[in-house]
Amino acid sequence: MADNIPDTNTTDRNTSSSGRAPSIPTLNAGFYTDINNNIIGPSISTYNVVTTDETHEPPDTKSILSYTSESACNALITENAQTYSSIKDDLRPSGAATTSEDNRGETETNMGAGDSKWIAGENQKKRQSSNASLRGHNTKYETKPCCLNIERPVVSNIQTRSATVSWTLNNTEKYESNLPMTFELALSSSGKNRIYKHIYTGDGVTVVLHDLQPCTVYFLRVAIIRDGEHRSVSEVASFTTPGCEPDPPLAPTLISRTKNSLNLQWKGCNDNGSKISRFLLEWDEGIGEDFKSCYTGPRKQHKLFKLSPSTKYSFRLAAKNHFGCSNFSETAVFYTSGNTPSAPLPPKLKEAGVYSLSLEWCAPTNPNPNDTLTYVLEMEEAKSGLGFKPKYNGEDLSCTVKNLQRNTTYKFRIFAYNLEGRSNPSREVKYTTRPARPGCPNKPHVVGTIHARQVTIGWDLPKDNGEMKISSYSLEVCENSDAENLWKIIYSGTLQEFLYDDLQPGTTYKLRVFCTSPAGQSRPSDVLTIQTPALPPESCSSQPLHSKTKGRDANVLDNRSVSGKSEAPVRGKKAKGTHHDKKECPSSEKTCAAVNIVGVGMFGGTAKVTTPGTVPAMVPMLQEVENKVPAKQSSTCIAIRWEEPHCHGSPITGYNIEYGDKKVVTVKRVTEYVLKNLQPNTTYRIRIQAINHYGLSPFSPSIRCKTKPLPPEPPQLNCVVYGHQSLRLKWGTVSSKKSRAIFISYNLLMEDRSGRFSVIYRGIDVTHKVQKLSEYTQYKFKIQACNEAGEGPESDIYTFTTTKSPPTALKAPKVHPLNNNCYEIKWETLEPIKGDPIVYCLQVNTGKKAHQIYKGPNTSFSFSNYDANSRYRFKVCAGRQYETSNGLQELWGPYSPSALFSTHKHHSGHGKGSGGKGKGNHSEKGEKCKVGFAFIAVLCAVAIQFFSFI
């Protein structure tokens, strides 16, 4: 309970039981009323917070404390009603009178007689002054006078976080009781005349405050709002909440750990009015049962020894002060270090595929049951010489390795990991992928000429034999007359040619071939379509020319047949007309004359003869088309172009293109084609022949075309120089003169903060320095090679870590005399670098050798064991200490400039190190300069003599 004091400048002198005075922040108050003189300012019609610049703001609902109103609903204030409260000189947390409230909202307290008289006199003076001020104010604003005053609020039932506030009215004159009247309670914790916050507005006269802070001084005042025109403010009342036990601290954190120790630290908490005297740290001893105390004291760090390896320990923390012990913090769980797992058994083959191997393995014995084991499966291709490379990293006990080669043997081994490190590798095992079915052979081709009743068919080996030897080939045939498109095998064996002699003249046949290996049967090849030529009609003895002739032609023939010795020379010429039409059959005109012993007779009439059609002429021109194939496909494709030859009486239906190892592809009647699925960086010999109804033309002259190489594989990326702000990366090797002919550039990519990789270097160099990095930070990189065929695949992720930055160089140390036989050497202080402490190393040089005379965290050293008539040079460097898995490490910076300290007699005294530089040094420098100038002069003289003789 707080006592009310008439003097408004009086402050609460109540303190907590610990003797610690509560702090009162200083802020500016902003109210319309002068509290010391009880002068009522301008009235306000709405409920707003008044700020220091006399502007109105809505009340801050977040800053208003919770309250409970206990006023009666039907309380009425009568005229000239006066209520007296108990007022004492000082506020006391205990022993104060309690305040009670009746159903009408009136408050009565006990007070002494002497105090009552004094308070009454003081209150009367205050009311007279307030009324006079109010009358003057109302006269100015032409409002009705208000003689309604309010007593200073009374605070009772003061707890650490709550208090009860009540107030009463003091009426000196009559007023109309039916006018509305409300009360406004304001609270401040920053000072009597500082900023107040409105926490209650209503017609009640008792409010319970909640959510207060322990050991804090609060100031209260009540304002009356009546008829929305006038407002009067009570005197300020203050009270102090008592202190209590501290708030629960945060859970302890782990600094470092070993197999047998844990080093913990924690932070302080809110003391709630009494300084924290000690902390209580409890643990479960690694058993998981009840907590027991392991440390009690004022320090905020504790290290536990003689613990079990790889064991779970739980901790909780509490704080104590004068009032008692706080609640415990949340439980923190830490583990001691353990051992690495034992070597696992080798992986077993679960299933072998053509391009994959499924493996499984068993978990080894884990010495740390609380840790989760992860596994790394490594693979090496037999006879490759590339070594083992990781293929899987995870917690599963099985995985499938994909993208392997067919019928290839691979080596496998496995590692197990836990939080402590990696196990030894398992025993190496070998597993082999299955062979694949062979690929389909190329389209069969005709060997030689197609005859009316026989033809020789040949075929090549398939491109892909499935890594197994081909055991047999099967040739199938289907006649075009067969409506059901039935295929029958006409040959099965190991040869690659077959003479098919069961043909019919003038018939079309379809042929295809497939091959078989121990792994299975391939798909059939593309279909080859051939047509046997028709046989010519039987010869006519009466008309050898098989054409219509005139009568004179017949006579000539008859004469030839009568005279057995006669000869009949024949001459002719090609018919005029559509000679250039390649689709027309060529024709010619023939004349015949008889010859006997006398001579040649006259030629007879002209006969027109048409020759039969035949195979097309040779393709006249075949060439490669540049820039026809996209760059990404230039390593496996070649584009060619040719001219269409003479058809020789039958339209051309297609072309056979032969390339590589006698591989033939048949295309339609086009003059351009792109050969696909070729080998990169390979030269191919290409030739072409035309096809018509009568057969195949001769092959054209061959041309040589070369595919471009594949995009290169990424090189190995290494970091050759580690720095605290840079990394120098190197990849590949410097190319020789022979390999420089193949232009290769590189793209270096680095991961940014969003996890994406972006190019930071693009060029032909094999080294690059990445700068502007942060110290002791991991950075991820990828490398990619490019050539004329395009960009190659990106490499795996490489991770490199920058080093810690060494301390900067110090200034030269300074030497100060302490007494006749001792000097003090001082140097500047460096701040810790990111929490790492700084130590210093001091060296002294007597002319021949340097000796370390001090190493530690101090920035001064007393030097006394010196010799007379000697010179000493001191220099100092700073070192950075940090913890790693290998223990405490030190990173030293450069040495400072040296400071000279001389004990020669000609010096005036033992001063600073720089004082050792006297006249002797200057004279030595002068002598050296003279010798240098003399040497230069001699050289100039020699040069002049030399040039004069020339």
Side-chain angles (χ1 to χ4, degrees):
M1 175 178 176
D3 298 327
N4 295 330
I5 303 174
D7 187 3
T8 57
N9 293 326
T10 304
T11 59
D12 190 351
R13 297 192 300 271
N14 185 20
T15 60
S16 64
S17 58
S18 63
R20 180 182 176 184
S23 61
I24 303 176
T26 59
L27 296 175
N28 295 328
F31 274 83
Y32 285 95
T33 308
D34 186 348
I35 301 173
N36 294 328
N37 299 323
N38 288 338
I39 298 175
I40 302 175
S43 61
I44 57 175
S45 58
T46 58
Y47 172 67
N48 291 327
V49 178
V50 182
T51 59
T52 56
D53 56 353
E54 297 185 0
T55 59
H56 297 274
E57 295 180 356
D60 187 3
T61 56
K62 295 182 180 180
S63 63
I64 297 175
L65 300 175
S66 61
Y67 65 89
T68 303
S69 177
E70 299 178 359
S71 62
C73 300
N74 300 323
L76 299 176
I77 303 175
T78 59
E79 294 183 354
N80 300 326
Q82 297 181 358
T83 305
Y84 297 95
S85 60
S86 175
I87 302 174
K88 296 183 179 180
D89 294 335
D90 296 327
L91 298 175
R92 293 185 297 274
S94 62
T98 61
T99 303
S100 62
E101 182 181 2
D102 57 12
N103 294 333
R104 296 174 300 171
E106 297 178 353
T107 305
E108 296 180 358
T109 57
N110 299 324
M111 64 180 180
D115 293 341
S116 176
K117 294 178 181 180
W118 182 80
I119 291 171
E122 292 294 328
N123 287 340
Q124 185 175 1
K125 294 178 181 180
K126 294 291 182 178
R127 285 194 295 271
Q128 291 175 358
S129 176
S130 176
N131 294 336
S133 300
L134 180 61
R135 285 192 298 271
H137 175 75
N138 291 340
T139 303
K140 181 179 179 180
Y141 288 95
E142 297 181 359
T143 58
K144 297 179 180 181
C146 179
C147 301
L148 184 62
N149 292 332
I150 188 170
E151 295 290 341
R152 182 199 301 241
V154 178
V155 184
S156 61
N157 193 21
I158 301 175
Q159 304 295 330
T160 57
R161 301 186 186 276
S162 64
T164 303
V165 182
S166 61
W167 58 88
T168 57
L169 293 173
N170 183 13
N171 301 333
T172 58
E173 297 183 7
K174 295 182 179 181
Y175 68 94
E176 297 179 4
S177 60
N178 57 353
L179 295 177
M181 179 173 53
T182 58
F183 301 98
E184 199 172 67
L185 178 63
L187 179 70
S188 172
S189 62
S190 56
K192 180 177 181 181
N193 298 324
R194 302 299 176 179
I195 297 176
Y196 285 77
K197 295 181 180 179
H198 300 292
I199 61 174
Y200 169 75
T201 301
D203 55 0
V205 295
T206 301
V207 174
V208 178
L209 305 179
H210 297 283
D211 299 332
L212 303 179
Q213 295 296 324
C215 196
T216 304
V217 178
Y218 289 96
F219 298 89
L220 290 168
R221 63 185 180 187
V222 181
I224 299 176
I225 301 176
R226 183 170 177 269
D227 197 19
E229 296 180 356
H230 306 292
R231 180 172 182 174
S232 62
V233 181
S234 69
E235 297 178 0
V236 176
S238 63
F239 68 96
T240 303
T241 54
C244 65
E245 66 279 357
D247 292 340
L250 297 176
T253 58
L254 180 66
I255 300 177
S256 61
R257 64 170 186 166
T258 64
K259 293 182 179 180
N260 305 108
S261 66
L262 290 174
N263 194 1
L264 308 180
Q265 71 176 4
W266 53 86
K267 297 181 180 180
C269 57
N270 191 4
D271 57 10
N272 289 337
S274 176
K275 184 178 180 181
I276 295 176
S277 58
R278 60 186 181 274
F279 293 94
L280 174 61
L281 181 65
E282 293 187 350
W283 67 327
D284 64 349
E285 297 182 333
I287 304 174
E289 297 179 355
D290 297 337
F291 282 87
K292 296 182 180 180
S293 176
C294 62
Y295 169 75
T296 301
R299 291 186 290 109
K300 297 180 181 180
Q301 182 175 339
H302 181 64
K303 189 171 185 179
L304 294 93
F305 298 93
K306 298 181 180 180
L307 306 181
S308 300
S310 186
T311 305
K312 172 185 175 182
Y313 291 92
S314 299
F315 298 88
R316 64 181 186 181
L317 182 70
K320 290 185 178 181
N321 63 4
H322 177 77
F323 295 103
C325 183
S326 70
N327 295 329
F328 281 96
S329 66
E330 296 180 355
T331 302
V333 177
F334 305 110
Y335 293 87
T336 52
S337 301
N339 299 319
T340 59
S342 58
L345 295 175
K348 298 180 181 179
L349 180 62
K350 186 177 180 181
E351 182 181 359
V354 178
Y355 301 101
S356 63
L357 291 171
S358 296
L359 306 178
E360 61 182 1
W361 55 87
C362 299
T365 302
N366 187 8
N368 309 328
N370 297 313
D371 293 350
T372 301
L373 291 179
T374 58
Y375 305 94
V376 175
L377 179 67
E378 294 184 344
M379 183 191 75
E380 178 189 20
E381 183 176 353
K383 301 180 181 179
S384 65
L386 299 178
F388 283 91
K389 293 184 178 181
K391 290 296 180 181
Y392 170 77
N393 187 350
E395 300 179 1
D396 296 335
L397 297 177
S398 64
C399 79
T400 300
V401 184
K402 300 180 180 180
N403 300 325
L404 304 180
Q405 301 295 326
R406 300 167 302 182
N407 197 28
T408 306
T409 301
Y410 296 90
K411 293 181 181 180
F412 294 92
R413 67 182 183 185
I414 193 169
F415 295 87
Y417 284 80
N418 61 7
L419 294 177
E420 307 308 323
R422 186 183 75 171
S423 70
N424 293 325
S426 67
R427 181 171 52 86
E428 297 179 4
V429 290
K430 297 181 180 180
Y431 297 114
T432 306
T433 54
R434 293 192 299 106
R437 294 191 308 168
C440 65
N442 291 329
K443 182 194 295 186
H445 55 273
V446 177
V447 180
T449 306
I450 302 175
H451 300 281
R453 298 190 181 276
Q454 67 179 16
V455 66
T456 301
I457 304 298
W459 54 86
D460 299 328
L461 290 170
K463 295 181 180 179
D464 183 11
N465 62 0
E467 305 298 334
M468 293 292 289
K469 185 178 180 181
I470 302 299
S471 59
S472 65
Y473 298 93
S474 297
L475 181 64
E476 294 181 321
V477 67
C478 175
E479 294 186 14
N480 261 356
S481 60
D482 189 356
E484 298 182 359
N485 199 22
L486 296 177
W487 295 86
K488 62 178 180 179
I489 298 177
I490 59 175
Y491 171 76
S492 181
T494 58
L495 299 178
Q496 293 179 247
E497 281 189 5
F498 175 67
L499 177 60
Y500 187 25
D501 55 0
D502 191 15
L503 304 178
Q504 297 295 326
T507 307
T508 301
Y509 293 90
K510 297 179 180 179
L511 297 112
R512 66 183 185 183
V513 67
F514 64 86
C515 58
T516 306
S517 72
Q521 178 179 301
S522 72
R523 294 183 295 104
S525 67
D526 294 337
V527 175
L528 170 66
T529 303
I530 63 173
Q531 185 176 9
T532 56
L535 291 176
E538 296 181 357
S539 302
C540 182
S541 57
S542 59
Q543 298 292 337
L545 293 177
H546 302 284
S547 61
K548 296 180 180 180
T549 60
K550 296 180 180 179
R552 189 168 61 180
D553 296 335
N555 295 332
V556 174
L557 296 175
D558 290 340
N559 294 334
R560 180 188 176 192
S561 61
V562 171
S563 178
K565 298 181 181 180
S566 301
E567 296 180 358
V570 179
R571 67 180 182 181
K573 63 179 180 179
K574 292 183 179 180
K576 298 180 180 180
T578 58
H579 170 69
H580 298 285
D581 189 359
K582 298 180 180 180
K583 297 183 180 180
E584 292 288 336
C585 296
S587 60
S588 60
E589 296 178 355
K590 305 291 183 180
T591 59
C592 183
V595 180
N596 58 11
I597 195 171
V598 176
V600 179
M602 297 181 63
F603 282 91
T606 301
K608 188 175 182 179
V609 180
T610 300
T611 59
T614 185
V615 295
M618 182 188 299
V619 174
M621 187 274 295
L622 175 64
Q623 64 181 7
E624 182 182 5
V625 182
E626 297 290 342
N627 301 326
K628 184 70 175 180
V629 180
K632 293 184 178 179
Q633 302 176 5
S634 60
S635 57
T636 58
C637 298
I638 294 177
I640 57 175
R641 178 188 300 157
W642 61 89
E643 289 183 5
E644 185 175 291
H646 199 286
C647 66
H648 285 175
S650 178
I652 294 175
T653 59
Y655 297 89
N656 286 337
I657 303 174
E658 184 183 86
Y659 63 97
D661 190 12
K662 292 185 178 181
K663 296 178 181 180
V664 178
V665 58
T666 302
V667 298
K668 296 181 180 180
R669 188 180 179 183
V670 294
T671 57
E672 287 186 356
Y673 187 74
V674 177
L675 298 175
K676 300 180 180 179
N677 301 324
L678 304 180
Q679 296 296 324
N681 199 25
T682 305
T683 301
Y684 287 87
R685 186 177 61 87
I686 304 172
R687 59 181 184 172
I688 189 171
Q689 62 180 176
I691 306 172
N692 66 359
H693 176 74
Y694 295 101
L696 307 175
S697 72
F699 277 101
S700 68
S702 61
I703 62 173
R704 293 182 177 272
C705 303
K706 186 176 181 180
T707 56
K708 294 182 179 179
L710 281 173
E713 292 294 325
Q716 181 76 20
L717 184 63
N718 299 305
C719 183
V720 293
V721 179
Y722 291 85
H724 62 276
Q725 289 183 332
S726 64
L727 294 171
R728 179 169 288 279
L729 305 181
K730 182 180 180 182
W731 55 88
T733 57
V734 179
S735 59
S736 61
K737 294 182 179 180
K738 182 177 180 180
S739 60
R740 286 177 184 174
I742 303 176
F743 180 82
I744 297 179
S745 61
Y746 302 93
N747 294 337
L748 181 63
L749 301 91
M750 185 175 76
E751 185 184 42
D752 55 16
R753 294 181 179 178
S754 61
R756 296 177 298 181
F757 284 86
S758 58
V759 178
I760 61 173
Y761 169 76
R762 181 180 283 111
I764 61 174
D765 293 336
V766 295
T767 60
H768 180 68
K769 186 176 182 181
V770 186
Q771 299 180 340
K772 297 181 180 181
L773 304 180
S774 300
E775 67 156 349
Y776 204 59
T777 305
Q778 285 188 351
Y779 293 91
K780 296 181 179 180
F781 300 89
K782 288 183 180 180
I783 189 71
Q784 182 184 37
C786 310
N787 63 3
E788 58 182 354
E791 295 181 349
E794 295 180 356
S795 68
D796 296 332
I797 296 176
Y798 294 86
T799 303
F800 304 108
T801 304
T802 54
T803 61
K804 285 182 175 286
S805 59
T808 58
L810 302 174
K811 295 180 180 179
K814 297 181 180 180
V815 183
H816 301 278
L818 293 179
N819 49 49
N820 293 333
N821 297 322
C822 184
Y823 285 79
E824 184 182 40
I825 303 148
K826 287 187 177 182
W827 54 89
E828 62 179 332
T829 304
L830 293 182
E831 294 295 329
I833 304 175
K834 292 187 177 181
D836 295 339
I838 302 297
V839 294
Y840 304 93
C841 178
L842 180 64
Q843 282 190 357
V844 60
N845 193 335
T846 57
K848 295 182 179 180
K849 294 183 180 180
H851 302 280
Q852 177 179 319
I853 59 176
Y854 172 75
K855 177 183 177 182
N858 296 331
T859 57
S860 62
F861 177 76
S862 298
F863 182 69
S864 58
N865 297 326
Y866 55 88
D867 299 330
N869 298 326
S870 300
R871 291 185 177 183
Y872 296 90
R873 293 185 179 273
F874 298 95
K875 59 181 179 180
V876 65
C877 69
R880 178 179 180 180
Q881 291 183 338
Y882 59 95
E883 287 282 345
T884 64
S885 58
N886 297 326
L888 183 64
Q889 303 293 328
E890 293 179 348
L891 182 62
W892 294 96
Y895 274 95
S896 68
S898 61
L900 179 63
F901 168 66
S902 178
T903 59
H904 286 290
K905 293 181 179 179
H906 65 269
H907 289 284
S908 59
H910 300 289
K912 297 182 181 179
S914 59
K917 298 180 181 179
K919 297 181 179 179
N921 287 345
H922 292 290
S923 61
E924 290 177 2
K925 291 183 179 178
E927 292 177 358
K928 290 181 180 179
C929 293
K930 292 178 181 178
V931 172
F933 283 120
F935 181 71
I936 293 173
V938 171
L939 290 178
C940 293
V942 172
I944 293 172
Q945 292 294 331
F946 176 77
F947 286 110
S948 62
F949 283 112
I950 294 176

